[in-house]
PDB file of all heavy atoms in Angstrom:
ATOM      1  N   SER A 749       3.575 -13.571  11.341  1.00  0.00           N
ATOM      2  CA  SER A 749       3.160 -14.789  10.648  1.00  0.00           C
ATOM      3  C   SER A 749       3.122 -14.387   9.159  1.00  0.00           C
ATOM      4  O   SER A 749       3.163 -13.219   8.736  1.00  0.00           O
ATOM      5  CB  SER A 749       1.721 -15.230  11.117  1.00  0.00           C
ATOM      6  OG  SER A 749       0.758 -14.225  10.719  1.00  0.00           O
ATOM      7  N   VAL A 750       3.119 -15.432   8.323  1.00  0.00           N
ATOM      8  CA  VAL A 750       3.012 -15.120   6.856  1.00  0.00           C
ATOM      9  C   VAL A 750       1.684 -14.514   6.604  1.00  0.00           C
ATOM     10  O   VAL A 750       1.534 -13.660   5.704  1.00  0.00           O
ATOM     11  CB  VAL A 750       3.237 -16.583   6.117  1.00  0.00           C
ATOM     12  CG1 VAL A 750       2.932 -16.347   4.647  1.00  0.00           C
ATOM     13  CG2 VAL A 750       4.555 -16.985   6.359  1.00  0.00           C
ATOM     14  N   ASP A 751       0.494 -14.813   7.238  1.00  0.00           N
ATOM     15  CA  ASP A 751      -0.765 -14.290   6.995  1.00  0.00           C
ATOM     16  C   ASP A 751      -0.685 -12.801   7.352  1.00  0.00           C
ATOM     17  O   ASP A 751      -1.373 -11.970   6.525  1.00  0.00           O
ATOM     18  CB  ASP A 751      -1.770 -14.853   7.851  1.00  0.00           C
ATOM     19  CG  ASP A 751      -2.191 -16.300   7.390  1.00  0.00           C
ATOM     20  OD1 ASP A 751      -1.888 -16.693   6.211  1.00  0.00           O
ATOM     21  OD2 ASP A 751      -2.834 -16.995   8.228  1.00  0.00           O
ATOM     22  N   ASN A 752       0.032 -12.328   8.388  1.00  0.00           N
ATOM     23  CA  ASN A 752       0.202 -11.060   8.621  1.00  0.00           C
ATOM     24  C   ASN A 752       0.909 -10.278   7.562  1.00  0.00           C
ATOM     25  O   ASN A 752       0.641  -9.078   7.212  1.00  0.00           O
ATOM     26  CB  ASN A 752       0.893 -10.817   9.917  1.00  0.00           C
ATOM     27  CG  ASN A 752      -0.120 -11.113  11.186  1.00  0.00           C
ATOM     28  OD1 ASN A 752      -1.196 -11.367  11.020  1.00  0.00           O
ATOM     29  ND2 ASN A 752       0.481 -11.034  12.362  1.00  0.00           N
ATOM     30  N   ILE A 753       1.923 -10.911   7.026  1.00  0.00           N
ATOM     31  CA  ILE A 753       2.743 -10.329   5.833  1.00  0.00           C
ATOM     32  C   ILE A 753       1.809 -10.148   4.691  1.00  0.00           C
ATOM     33  O   ILE A 753       1.843  -8.980   4.051  1.00  0.00           O
ATOM     34  CB  ILE A 753       4.018 -11.004   5.446  1.00  0.00           C
ATOM     35  CG1 ILE A 753       4.927 -11.111   6.633  1.00  0.00           C
ATOM     36  CG2 ILE A 753       4.549 -10.666   4.195  1.00  0.00           C
ATOM     37  CD1 ILE A 753       6.103 -11.997   6.396  1.00  0.00           C
ATOM     38  N   VAL A 754       0.987 -11.051   4.513  1.00  0.00           N
ATOM     39  CA  VAL A 754      -0.004 -10.948   3.232  1.00  0.00           C
ATOM     40  C   VAL A 754      -0.885  -9.688   3.504  1.00  0.00           C
ATOM     41  O   VAL A 754      -1.206  -8.999   2.617  1.00  0.00           O
ATOM     42  CB  VAL A 754      -0.735 -12.212   3.088  1.00  0.00           C
ATOM     43  CG1 VAL A 754      -1.852 -12.045   2.107  1.00  0.00           C
ATOM     44  CG2 VAL A 754       0.211 -13.328   2.620  1.00  0.00           C
ATOM     45  N   ASN A 755      -1.389  -9.681   4.714  1.00  0.00           N
ATOM     46  CA  ASN A 755      -2.271  -8.563   5.039  1.00  0.00           C
ATOM     47  C   ASN A 755      -1.603  -7.177   4.945  1.00  0.00           C
ATOM     48  O   ASN A 755      -2.147  -6.189   4.267  1.00  0.00           O
ATOM     49  CB  ASN A 755      -2.830  -8.664   6.445  1.00  0.00           C
ATOM     50  CG  ASN A 755      -3.667  -7.600   6.942  1.00  0.00           C
ATOM     51  OD1 ASN A 755      -3.872  -6.445   6.297  1.00  0.00           O
ATOM     52  ND2 ASN A 755      -4.513  -7.841   7.960  1.00  0.00           N
ATOM     53  N   VAL A 756      -0.368  -7.142   5.365  1.00  0.00           N
ATOM     54  CA  VAL A 756       0.445  -5.936   5.259  1.00  0.00           C
ATOM     55  C   VAL A 756       0.668  -5.620   3.744  1.00  0.00           C
ATOM     56  O   VAL A 756       0.618  -4.402   3.319  1.00  0.00           O
ATOM     57  CB  VAL A 756       1.663  -5.962   6.081  1.00  0.00           C
ATOM     58  CG1 VAL A 756       2.630  -4.878   5.788  1.00  0.00           C
ATOM     59  CG2 VAL A 756       1.314  -6.005   7.600  1.00  0.00           C
ATOM     60  N   LEU A 757       1.015  -6.524   2.975  1.00  0.00           N
ATOM     61  CA  LEU A 757       1.332  -6.260   1.609  1.00  0.00           C
ATOM     62  C   LEU A 757      -0.032  -5.642   0.838  1.00  0.00           C
ATOM     63  O   LEU A 757       0.127  -4.827   0.126  1.00  0.00           O
ATOM     64  CB  LEU A 757       1.687  -7.506   0.814  1.00  0.00           C
ATOM     65  CG  LEU A 757       3.202  -7.930   1.183  1.00  0.00           C
ATOM     66  CD1 LEU A 757       3.442  -9.361   0.665  1.00  0.00           C
ATOM     67  CD2 LEU A 757       4.206  -6.917   0.604  1.00  0.00           C
ATOM     68  N   SER A 758      -1.213  -6.123   1.306  1.00  0.00           N
ATOM     69  CA  SER A 758      -2.358  -5.508   0.755  1.00  0.00           C
ATOM     70  C   SER A 758      -2.430  -4.068   1.170  1.00  0.00           C
ATOM     71  O   SER A 758      -2.801  -3.267   0.330  1.00  0.00           O
ATOM     72  CB  SER A 758      -3.551  -6.381   1.273  1.00  0.00           C
ATOM     73  OG  SER A 758      -4.765  -5.767   0.765  1.00  0.00           O
ATOM     74  N   ARG A 759      -2.153  -3.818   2.410  1.00  0.00           N
ATOM     75  CA  ARG A 759      -2.244  -2.439   2.934  1.00  0.00           C
ATOM     76  C   ARG A 759      -1.260  -1.563   2.299  1.00  0.00           C
ATOM     77  O   ARG A 759      -1.482  -0.401   1.876  1.00  0.00           O
ATOM     78  CB  ARG A 759      -2.260  -2.405   4.389  1.00  0.00           C
ATOM     79  CG  ARG A 759      -3.469  -3.125   5.090  1.00  0.00           C
ATOM     80  CD  ARG A 759      -3.337  -3.265   6.612  1.00  0.00           C
ATOM     81  NE  ARG A 759      -3.738  -2.028   7.039  1.00  0.00           N
ATOM     82  CZ  ARG A 759      -3.816  -1.703   8.392  1.00  0.00           C
ATOM     83  NH1 ARG A 759      -3.380  -2.657   9.252  1.00  0.00           N
ATOM     84  NH2 ARG A 759      -4.135  -0.568   8.851  1.00  0.00           N
ATOM     85  N   ILE A 760      -0.048  -2.135   1.903  1.00  0.00           N
ATOM     86  CA  ILE A 760       1.063  -1.293   1.338  1.00  0.00           C
ATOM     87  C   ILE A 760       0.531  -1.004  -0.033  1.00  0.00           C
ATOM     88  O   ILE A 760       0.760   0.074  -0.629  1.00  0.00           O
ATOM     89  CB  ILE A 760       2.345  -2.009   1.338  1.00  0.00           C
ATOM     90  CG1 ILE A 760       2.856  -2.120   2.748  1.00  0.00           C
ATOM     91  CG2 ILE A 760       3.239  -1.433   0.369  1.00  0.00           C
ATOM     92  CD1 ILE A 760       3.997  -2.872   3.001  1.00  0.00           C
ATOM     93  N   SER A 761      -0.094  -1.969  -0.825  1.00  0.00           N
ATOM     94  CA  SER A 761      -0.644  -1.762  -2.113  1.00  0.00           C
ATOM     95  C   SER A 761      -1.556  -0.569  -2.094  1.00  0.00           C
ATOM     96  O   SER A 761      -1.569   0.219  -3.061  1.00  0.00           O
ATOM     97  CB  SER A 761      -1.321  -3.005  -2.691  1.00  0.00           C
ATOM     98  OG  SER A 761      -1.824  -2.874  -3.915  1.00  0.00           O
ATOM     99  N   GLU A 762      -2.441  -0.483  -1.132  1.00  0.00           N
ATOM    100  CA  GLU A 762      -3.337   0.606  -1.003  1.00  0.00           C
ATOM    101  C   GLU A 762      -2.525   1.929  -0.847  1.00  0.00           C
ATOM    102  O   GLU A 762      -2.820   2.988  -1.460  1.00  0.00           O
ATOM    103  CB  GLU A 762      -4.309   0.405   0.181  1.00  0.00           C
ATOM    104  CG  GLU A 762      -5.329  -0.659  -0.022  1.00  0.00           C
ATOM    105  CD  GLU A 762      -6.167  -0.907   1.237  1.00  0.00           C
ATOM    106  OE1 GLU A 762      -6.366   0.076   2.109  1.00  0.00           O
ATOM    107  OE2 GLU A 762      -6.778  -2.004   1.316  1.00  0.00           O
ATOM    108  N   ALA A 763      -1.601   1.836  -0.002  1.00  0.00           N
ATOM    109  CA  ALA A 763      -0.667   2.964   0.344  1.00  0.00           C
ATOM    110  C   ALA A 763      -0.211   3.643  -0.977  1.00  0.00           C
ATOM    111  O   ALA A 763      -0.129   4.840  -1.147  1.00  0.00           O
ATOM    112  CB  ALA A 763       0.308   2.783   1.365  1.00  0.00           C
ATOM    113  N   ILE A 764       0.432   2.806  -1.886  1.00  0.00           N
ATOM    114  CA  ILE A 764       1.003   3.376  -3.006  1.00  0.00           C
ATOM    115  C   ILE A 764       0.180   3.832  -4.130  1.00  0.00           C
ATOM    116  O   ILE A 764       0.553   4.581  -4.997  1.00  0.00           O
ATOM    117  CB  ILE A 764       2.151   2.324  -3.584  1.00  0.00           C
ATOM    118  CG1 ILE A 764       1.381   0.989  -4.112  1.00  0.00           C
ATOM    119  CG2 ILE A 764       3.163   1.999  -2.566  1.00  0.00           C
ATOM    120  CD1 ILE A 764       2.269   0.113  -4.827  1.00  0.00           C
ATOM    121  N   SER A 765      -1.096   3.606  -3.900  1.00  0.00           N
ATOM    122  CA  SER A 765      -2.109   4.199  -4.855  1.00  0.00           C
ATOM    123  C   SER A 765      -2.571   5.554  -4.458  1.00  0.00           C
ATOM    124  O   SER A 765      -3.243   6.335  -5.137  1.00  0.00           O
ATOM    125  CB  SER A 765      -3.375   3.263  -4.947  1.00  0.00           C
ATOM    126  OG  SER A 765      -4.075   3.223  -3.796  1.00  0.00           O
ATOM    127  N   LYS A 766      -2.068   6.011  -3.143  1.00  0.00           N
ATOM    128  CA  LYS A 766      -2.446   7.329  -2.694  1.00  0.00           C
ATOM    129  C   LYS A 766      -1.397   8.408  -2.954  1.00  0.00           C
ATOM    130  O   LYS A 766      -0.157   7.995  -3.064  1.00  0.00           O
ATOM    131  CB  LYS A 766      -2.754   7.281  -1.213  1.00  0.00           C
ATOM    132  CG  LYS A 766      -4.028   6.415  -0.905  1.00  0.00           C
ATOM    133  CD  LYS A 766      -4.368   6.349   0.598  1.00  0.00           C
ATOM    134  CE  LYS A 766      -5.357   5.487   0.770  1.00  0.00           C
ATOM    135  NZ  LYS A 766      -5.580   5.112   2.394  1.00  0.00           N
ATOM    136  N   PRO A 767      -1.597   9.583  -2.837  1.00  0.00           N
ATOM    137  CA  PRO A 767      -0.509  10.661  -2.944  1.00  0.00           C
ATOM    138  C   PRO A 767       0.509  10.467  -1.919  1.00  0.00           C
ATOM    139  O   PRO A 767       0.308  10.015  -0.773  1.00  0.00           O
ATOM    140  CB  PRO A 767      -1.156  11.909  -2.771  1.00  0.00           C
ATOM    141  CG  PRO A 767      -2.589  11.631  -3.055  1.00  0.00           C
ATOM    142  CD  PRO A 767      -2.901  10.358  -2.741  1.00  0.00           C
ATOM    143  N   VAL A 768       1.764  10.693  -2.345  1.00  0.00           N
ATOM    144  CA  VAL A 768       2.819  10.671  -1.339  1.00  0.00           C
ATOM    145  C   VAL A 768       2.747  11.796  -0.377  1.00  0.00           C
ATOM    146  O   VAL A 768       2.229  12.817  -0.614  1.00  0.00           O
ATOM    147  CB  VAL A 768       4.232  10.937  -2.053  1.00  0.00           C
ATOM    148  CG1 VAL A 768       5.455  10.973  -1.150  1.00  0.00           C
ATOM    149  CG2 VAL A 768       4.593   9.681  -3.052  1.00  0.00           C
ATOM    150  N   LEU A 769       3.097  11.458   1.002  1.00  0.00           N
ATOM    151  CA  LEU A 769       3.143  12.469   1.883  1.00  0.00           C
ATOM    152  C   LEU A 769       4.557  13.098   2.092  1.00  0.00           C
ATOM    153  O   LEU A 769       5.386  12.359   2.039  1.00  0.00           O
ATOM    154  CB  LEU A 769       2.624  11.976   3.294  1.00  0.00           C
ATOM    155  CG  LEU A 769       1.208  11.505   3.319  1.00  0.00           C
ATOM    156  CD1 LEU A 769       0.737  10.913   4.692  1.00  0.00           C
ATOM    157  CD2 LEU A 769       0.210  12.654   3.124  1.00  0.00           C
ATOM    158  N   VAL A 770       4.694  14.381   2.187  1.00  0.00           N
ATOM    159  CA  VAL A 770       6.017  14.854   2.383  1.00  0.00           C
ATOM    160  C   VAL A 770       6.075  15.382   3.849  1.00  0.00           C
ATOM    161  O   VAL A 770       5.275  16.204   4.335  1.00  0.00           O
ATOM    162  CB  VAL A 770       6.311  16.084   1.362  1.00  0.00           C
ATOM    163  CG1 VAL A 770       7.623  16.691   1.653  1.00  0.00           C
ATOM    164  CG2 VAL A 770       6.126  15.502  -0.131  1.00  0.00           C
ATOM    165  N   TRP A 771       7.338  15.061   4.438  1.00  0.00           N
ATOM    166  CA  TRP A 771       7.584  15.619   5.790  1.00  0.00           C
ATOM    167  C   TRP A 771       8.492  16.702   5.717  1.00  0.00           C
ATOM    168  O   TRP A 771       9.513  16.602   5.076  1.00  0.00           O
ATOM    169  CB  TRP A 771       8.192  14.542   6.633  1.00  0.00           C
ATOM    170  CG  TRP A 771       8.608  15.032   8.056  1.00  0.00           C
ATOM    171  CD1 TRP A 771       9.911  15.136   8.474  1.00  0.00           C
ATOM    172  CD2 TRP A 771       7.863  15.505   9.120  1.00  0.00           C
ATOM    173  NE1 TRP A 771       9.975  15.578   9.797  1.00  0.00           N
ATOM    174  CE2 TRP A 771       8.565  15.707  10.091  1.00  0.00           C
ATOM    175  CE3 TRP A 771       6.440  15.682   9.226  1.00  0.00           C
ATOM    176  CZ2 TRP A 771       8.165  16.283  11.423  1.00  0.00           C
ATOM    177  CZ3 TRP A 771       5.983  16.052  10.483  1.00  0.00           C
ATOM    178  CH2 TRP A 771       6.860  16.471  11.536  1.00  0.00           C
ATOM    179  N   ASP A 772       8.024  17.939   6.126  1.00  0.00           N
ATOM    180  CA  ASP A 772       8.917  19.185   5.908  1.00  0.00           C
ATOM    181  C   ASP A 772       9.534  19.582   7.265  1.00  0.00           C
ATOM    182  O   ASP A 772       9.861  20.747   7.569  1.00  0.00           O
ATOM    183  CB  ASP A 772       8.218  20.286   5.292  1.00  0.00           C
ATOM    184  CG  ASP A 772       6.983  20.791   6.191  1.00  0.00           C
ATOM    185  OD1 ASP A 772       6.828  20.373   7.279  1.00  0.00           O
ATOM    186  OD2 ASP A 772       6.397  21.742   5.841  1.00  0.00           O
ATOM    187  N   GLU A 773       9.720  18.622   8.182  1.00  0.00           N
ATOM    188  CA  GLU A 773      10.203  18.800   9.596  1.00  0.00           C
ATOM    189  C   GLU A 773       9.205  19.499  10.499  1.00  0.00           C
ATOM    190  O   GLU A 773       9.531  19.876  11.581  1.00  0.00           O
ATOM    191  CB  GLU A 773      11.600  19.677   9.501  1.00  0.00           C
ATOM    192  CG  GLU A 773      12.636  18.900   8.778  1.00  0.00           C
ATOM    193  CD  GLU A 773      13.036  17.553   9.378  1.00  0.00           C
ATOM    194  OE1 GLU A 773      12.934  17.335  10.626  1.00  0.00           O
ATOM    195  OE2 GLU A 773      13.330  16.566   8.625  1.00  0.00           O
ATOM    196  N   LYS A 774       8.004  19.797   9.989  1.00  0.00           N
ATOM    197  CA  LYS A 774       6.943  20.329  10.872  1.00  0.00           C
ATOM    198  C   LYS A 774       5.682  19.695  10.614  1.00  0.00           C
ATOM    199  O   LYS A 774       4.980  19.574  11.656  1.00  0.00           O
ATOM    200  CB  LYS A 774       6.915  21.851  10.387  1.00  0.00           C
ATOM    201  CG  LYS A 774       7.923  22.859  10.706  1.00  0.00           C
ATOM    202  CD  LYS A 774       7.419  24.275  10.323  1.00  0.00           C
ATOM    203  CE  LYS A 774       8.594  24.784   9.395  1.00  0.00           C
ATOM    204  NZ  LYS A 774       8.236  25.839   8.537  1.00  0.00           N
ATOM    205  N   GLU A 775       5.308  19.261   9.434  1.00  0.00           N
ATOM    206  CA  GLU A 775       3.934  18.783   9.290  1.00  0.00           C
ATOM    207  C   GLU A 775       4.007  17.731   7.975  1.00  0.00           C
ATOM    208  O   GLU A 775       5.021  17.826   7.145  1.00  0.00           O
ATOM    209  CB  GLU A 775       2.844  19.747   9.089  1.00  0.00           C
ATOM    210  CG  GLU A 775       3.171  20.618   7.877  1.00  0.00           C
ATOM    211  CD  GLU A 775       2.039  21.607   7.701  1.00  0.00           C
ATOM    212  OE1 GLU A 775       0.958  21.490   8.291  1.00  0.00           O
ATOM    213  OE2 GLU A 775       2.208  22.607   6.821  1.00  0.00           O
ATOM    214  N   LEU A 776       3.138  16.934   7.810  1.00  0.00           N
ATOM    215  CA  LEU A 776       2.986  16.030   6.689  1.00  0.00           C
ATOM    216  C   LEU A 776       1.884  16.600   5.819  1.00  0.00           C
ATOM    217  O   LEU A 776       0.767  17.022   6.152  1.00  0.00           O
ATOM    218  CB  LEU A 776       2.439  14.721   7.079  1.00  0.00           C
ATOM    219  CG  LEU A 776       3.419  13.781   7.898  1.00  0.00           C
ATOM    220  CD1 LEU A 776       2.771  12.638   8.457  1.00  0.00           C
ATOM    221  CD2 LEU A 776       4.409  13.226   6.797  1.00  0.00           C
ATOM    222  N   VAL A 777       2.332  16.885   4.508  1.00  0.00           N
ATOM    223  CA  VAL A 777       1.420  17.356   3.535  1.00  0.00           C
ATOM    224  C   VAL A 777       1.497  16.537   2.182  1.00  0.00           C
ATOM    225  O   VAL A 777       2.560  15.874   1.976  1.00  0.00           O
ATOM    226  CB  VAL A 777       1.822  18.858   3.096  1.00  0.00           C
ATOM    227  CG1 VAL A 777       1.646  19.859   4.333  1.00  0.00           C
ATOM    228  CG2 VAL A 777       3.158  18.917   2.588  1.00  0.00           C
ATOM    229  N   GLU A 778       0.428  16.499   1.462  1.00  0.00           N
ATOM    230  CA  GLU A 778       0.344  15.659   0.254  1.00  0.00           C
ATOM    231  C   GLU A 778       1.253  16.307  -0.826  1.00  0.00           C
ATOM    232  O   GLU A 778       1.125  17.472  -1.055  1.00  0.00           O
ATOM    233  CB  GLU A 778      -1.132  15.447  -0.174  1.00  0.00           C
ATOM    234  CG  GLU A 778      -1.810  14.374   0.631  1.00  0.00           C
ATOM    235  CD  GLU A 778      -3.043  13.944   0.041  1.00  0.00           C
ATOM    236  OE1 GLU A 778      -3.544  14.583  -0.957  1.00  0.00           O
ATOM    237  OE2 GLU A 778      -3.823  13.152   0.654  1.00  0.00           O
ATOM    238  N   LEU A 779       1.932  15.438  -1.360  1.00  0.00           N
ATOM    239  CA  LEU A 779       2.830  15.916  -2.588  1.00  0.00           C
ATOM    240  C   LEU A 779       1.865  16.264  -3.765  1.00  0.00           C
ATOM    241  O   LEU A 779       1.124  15.395  -4.092  1.00  0.00           O
ATOM    242  CB  LEU A 779       3.803  14.895  -2.983  1.00  0.00           C
ATOM    243  CG  LEU A 779       4.834  15.161  -4.011  1.00  0.00           C
ATOM    244  CD1 LEU A 779       5.742  16.285  -3.722  1.00  0.00           C
ATOM    245  CD2 LEU A 779       5.591  13.969  -4.506  1.00  0.00           C
ATOM    246  N   LYS A 780       2.037  17.321  -4.239  1.00  0.00           N
ATOM    247  CA  LYS A 780       1.268  17.862  -5.305  1.00  0.00           C
ATOM    248  C   LYS A 780       1.962  17.538  -6.727  1.00  0.00           C
ATOM    249  O   LYS A 780       3.300  17.588  -6.708  1.00  0.00           O
ATOM    250  CB  LYS A 780       0.894  19.267  -5.302  1.00  0.00           C
ATOM    251  CG  LYS A 780       0.168  19.749  -4.119  1.00  0.00           C
ATOM    252  CD  LYS A 780      -1.112  19.082  -4.015  1.00  0.00           C
ATOM    253  CE  LYS A 780      -1.774  19.626  -2.753  1.00  0.00           C
ATOM    254  NZ  LYS A 780      -2.932  18.845  -2.235  1.00  0.00           N
ATOM    255  N   ASP A 781       1.214  17.086  -7.704  1.00  0.00           N
ATOM    256  CA  ASP A 781       1.854  16.714  -9.033  1.00  0.00           C
ATOM    257  C   ASP A 781       2.568  17.883  -9.633  1.00  0.00           C
ATOM    258  O   ASP A 781       2.290  18.927  -9.514  1.00  0.00           O
ATOM    259  CB  ASP A 781       0.816  16.206  -9.930  1.00  0.00           C
ATOM    260  CG  ASP A 781       0.293  14.878  -9.594  1.00  0.00           C
ATOM    261  OD1 ASP A 781       1.039  14.098  -8.808  1.00  0.00           O
ATOM    262  OD2 ASP A 781      -0.732  14.431  -9.897  1.00  0.00           O
TER     263      ASP A 781
END
Side-chain angles (χ1 to χ4, degrees):
S749 70
V750 173
D751 287 341
N752 286 357
I753 291 173
V754 170
N755 182 343
V756 167
L757 285 171
S758 174
R759 295 176 79 178
I760 289 172
S761 179
E762 291 175 22
I764 62 175
S765 70
K766 296 178 181 178
V768 171
L769 295 174
V770 178
W771 175 246
D772 67 1
E773 299 298 325
K774 291 182 239 161
E775 64 181 343
L776 287 163
V777 295
E778 284 191 355
L779 182 65
K780 304 297 181 198
D781 293 332

